[in-house]
Amino acid sequence: MANREAPNTYARRTGNMYIFNLMIGTGALTLPLAFSQAGLTFGILTFVLLSFVSFMSASWVIETMATANAILKLAKVRARVIQLHNNVHV
């Protein structure tokens, strides 16, 4: 007889837990333990500092994506203008 293997699939609940972990991350689940070990004052200061760094990083990524999009659109417009210019002089 042929040796049949089970398909490589997950249960719906397992898949939902993977998605939850990807969205929230394990960091959010361990915050209470981190606060209890670090203390309230140091925990809050560290949390605020890291939140600011995260916000700045996300802002930088968004600005970079917007700049790249603008450069691509400008290149397309320039190519179109050159194409129209060449068609007029032909």
Side-chain angles (χ1 to χ4, degrees):
M1 284 194 179
N3 185 10
R4 292 188 177 186
E5 294 182 19
N8 294 330
T9 60
Y10 295 109
R12 181 173 290 233
R13 184 174 181 186
T14 304
N16 287 336
M17 290 306 293
Y18 277 129
I19 292 172
F20 175 76
N21 189 26
L22 286 172
M23 291 187 324
I24 302 299
T26 56
L29 300 175
T30 58
L31 278 175
L33 177 64
F35 271 87
S36 70
Q37 289 180 350
L40 191 60
T41 305
F42 183 70
I44 290 174
L45 289 174
T46 304
F47 187 75
V48 169
L49 175 69
L50 292 177
S51 296
F52 177 73
V53 170
S54 177
F55 173 75
M56 292 303 294
S57 297
S59 297
W60 181 77
V61 168
I62 291 170
E63 287 179 17
T64 303
M65 289 173 61
T67 302
N69 192 26
I71 290 171
L72 289 175
K73 283 187 177 184
L74 181 62
K76 286 180 183 178
V77 168
R78 285 184 178 169
R80 181 70 178 145
V81 167
I82 290 172
Q83 182 184 14
L84 291 174
H85 180 70
N86 289 338
N87 288 342
V88 169
H89 292 292
V90 172

